[in-house]
Amino acid sequence: MRGVGAVAVHPSRKYFVLCEMGNRPNAYVYEYPSKRLVRVLRGGAEQGYSCARFSADGERLATVASWPDYMLTVWDLSLIHISEPTRPRLISYAVF
């Protein structure tokens, strides 16, 4: 990991996400204020994230990768309770 590329806060303010920079980065969803790791999102970027944003209802998380792929990934968090230890389903992505 080379640092943090993006940070986003869940609308409920009970969770936040930190997105890594570096080779095969992950996005980590933490519970607040305990800072307990509740989810690891993998496969949304090759070298790092440049942006992350939860939807207004908190059911989706959009991430944008940095160079070289610039991939937009939308993670569907509505199918599971965010504190359950299962992986969210990737619902769409696009490369521009």
Side-chain angles (χ1 to χ4, degrees):
M1 180 171 112
R2 290 188 337 229
V4 175
V7 177
V9 177
H10 191 270
S12 70
R13 301 197 188 274
K14 294 180 181 179
Y15 305 97
F16 64 97
V17 64
L18 296 178
C19 302
E20 291 181 313
M21 296 296 290
N23 192 34
R24 294 186 179 153
N26 296 319
Y28 299 95
V29 180
Y30 292 93
E31 190 176 60
Y32 182 81
S34 70
K35 299 180 204 145
R36 181 178 68 91
L37 179 65
V38 294
R39 180 88 58 250
V40 178
L41 307 175
R42 296 178 174 89
E46 290 181 23
Q47 292 294 320
Y49 292 93
S50 61
C51 185
R53 176 73 185 222
F54 284 97
S55 62
D57 60 9
E59 293 184 354
R60 290 175 191 80
L61 172 68
T63 56
V64 178
S66 60
W67 180 89
D69 54 335
Y70 302 105
M71 182 165 50
L72 169 65
T73 306
V74 178
W75 305 92
D76 188 348
L77 304 174
S78 68
L79 301 177
I80 55 171
H81 189 273
I82 198 165
S83 63
E84 293 175 3
T86 56
R87 184 175 170 162
R89 182 172 63 110
L90 172 66
I91 60 169
S92 64
Y93 67 91
V95 178
F96 296 95

